[in-house]
Amino acid sequence: MGKLDGKVAVITGATTGMALAGAKLFVDEGAHVFITGRRQDMLDEAVKQIGRNVTGVQGDAADLDDLDRLYDTVKREKGSLDVLWASAGGGAPAPLGEITEAQFDTWFGLNARGTLFTVQKALPLFNDGGSILMTGSNASLGAFPGWSVYAGSKAVQQAWARIWLNELKDRRIRVNVLTPGQVATAKQEELFDEATKRQFESLIPRGQMGRPDEIATAALFLASDDSSYVNGMELVADGGTTAI
Ligand SMILES: NC(=O)c1ccc[n+]([C@@H]2O[C@H](COP(=O)([O-])OP(=O)(O)OC[C@H]3O[C@@H](n4cnc5c(N)ncnc54)[C@H](OP(=O)(O)O)[C@@H]3O)[C@@H](O)[C@H]2O)c1
């Protein structure tokens, strides 16, 4: 028996990295998963890799019309929803003094505004007893120079999880934040050279970045009834980086 047997899940930004690893695991545990991403070719490839019980819906998590199209598809194909993992997000470094309006609008537009509407627009489809998780970042717990816009745009999730679980308690919908530290993903490859990656790894107690599958198992915990008494919490999966 799978931990998500018969459940319907939406995972945004899931054509690579930790959310793709999560989508595979959710399907292995019995769910039907809707995944999103902006690039159609990457989406097609991810759907092929997952192989079964998956629907790909192209779209930008910062675009409210795309979110409407996503939930229209879920409604048409499955009628309702049990798990939402709002994972689409991103950022780029910019030290205070050099932050542009465009950078602020882009990253708050996706990580804060996009996440809020990803959750809000899912609500009409949510079954009672469902689980919502959002991908934060340990950037909002540490004090990493250059990352204030990104950290700020993710830090909102902690407050939202607490308020939303209170607003949704009659429907027994739980809301938690999954907060990774450095994880070896395509985004890491794009953003950082080898020296920067080694510098980040020097901050991690085990000296090695997280793997996407290590975030996927934490997401499964929050998505499933294994975490039935966990609500409004931040699960930090950063190997202890911000604990020491
Ligand atoms: N990697 C890390 O070390 C790390 C650490 C802490 C937190 N995080 C957070 O974890 C999440 C995933 O990070 P990642 O490193 O795996 O990211 P990623 O490699 O940049 O992207 C993962 C997926 O998200 C999709 N995506 C990106 N922007 C999107 C958008 N606006 N709308 C819909 N899909 C979008 C990408 O496809 P398309 O580009 O085709 O859209 C891709 O499928 C993000 O919220 C990130 O902030 C990452």
Side-chain angles (χ1 to χ4, degrees):
M1 166 134 179
K3 290 180 188 291
L4 295 176
D5 269 346
K7 304 288 187 191
V8 176
V10 165
I11 310 178
T12 61
T15 62
T16 62
M18 49 190 111
L20 173 59
K24 287 177 182 164
L25 184 59
F26 284 16
V27 167
D28 286 347
E29 291 290 338
H32 183 98
V33 178
F34 290 80
I35 62 169
T36 77
R38 293 164 302 175
R39 288 166 295 176
Q40 187 68 52
D41 57 336
M42 297 292 289
L43 188 63
D44 293 342
E45 179 55 33
V47 166
K48 205 165 126 192
Q49 272 188 44
I50 296 168
R52 65 196 163 106
N53 296 333
V54 59
T55 306
V57 185
Q58 187 278 334
D60 185 338
D63 183 312
L64 273 50
D65 292 334
D66 284 1
L67 291 172
D68 285 336
R69 212 162 32 76
L70 165 65
Y71 292 122
D72 284 348
T73 307
V74 176
K75 187 175 182 184
R76 194 172 57 246
E77 290 195 11
K78 292 290 173 185
S80 65
L81 181 60
D82 303 286
V83 174
L84 168 62
W85 179 6
S87 180
L96 189 64
E98 293 173 23
I99 297 165
T100 65
E101 286 181 51
Q103 285 165 335
F104 183 92
D105 291 347
T106 298
W107 300 121
F108 271 79
L110 174 59
N111 298 334
R113 181 178 184 270
T115 298
L116 184 149
F117 286 103
T118 298
V119 173
Q120 179 164 286
K121 286 177 178 291
L123 290 183
L125 293 180
F126 246 93
N127 289 319
D128 289 1
S131 174
I132 295 170
L133 53 145
M134 303 175 275
T135 301
S137 168
N138 77 343
S140 67
L141 301 174
F144 306 112
W147 290 93
S148 60
V149 173
Y150 178 62
S153 68
K154 290 286 192 179
V156 296
Q157 293 181 1
Q158 253 309 303
W160 290 350
R162 290 195 300 271
I163 294 166
W164 292 345
L165 85 85
N166 207 11
E167 292 179 348
L168 297 171
K169 66 186 177 194
D170 292 345
R171 297 171 64 183
R172 294 179 293 104
I173 295 172
R174 297 181 296 112
V175 189
N176 290 290
V177 181
L178 174 56
T179 294
Q182 299 300 321
V183 178
T185 63
K187 188 69 177 177
Q188 286 269 346
E189 294 299 321
E190 178 196 315
L191 277 178
F192 306 127
D193 58 20
E194 285 306 311
T196 310
K197 283 190 278 184
R198 295 298 85 78
Q199 195 192 340
F200 276 126
E201 283 189 326
S202 72
L203 304 173
I204 305 168
R206 76 179 185 192
Q208 278 185 335
M209 287 199 192
R211 300 185 312 272
D213 61 283
E214 292 177 299
I215 303 301
T217 48
L220 176 63
F221 171 70
L222 292 177
S224 71
D225 286 345
D226 279 357
S227 61
S228 54
Y229 204 40
V230 178
N231 206 356
M233 296 308 293
E234 178 165 32
L235 198 171
V236 182
D238 72 351
T241 304
T242 51
I244 58 174

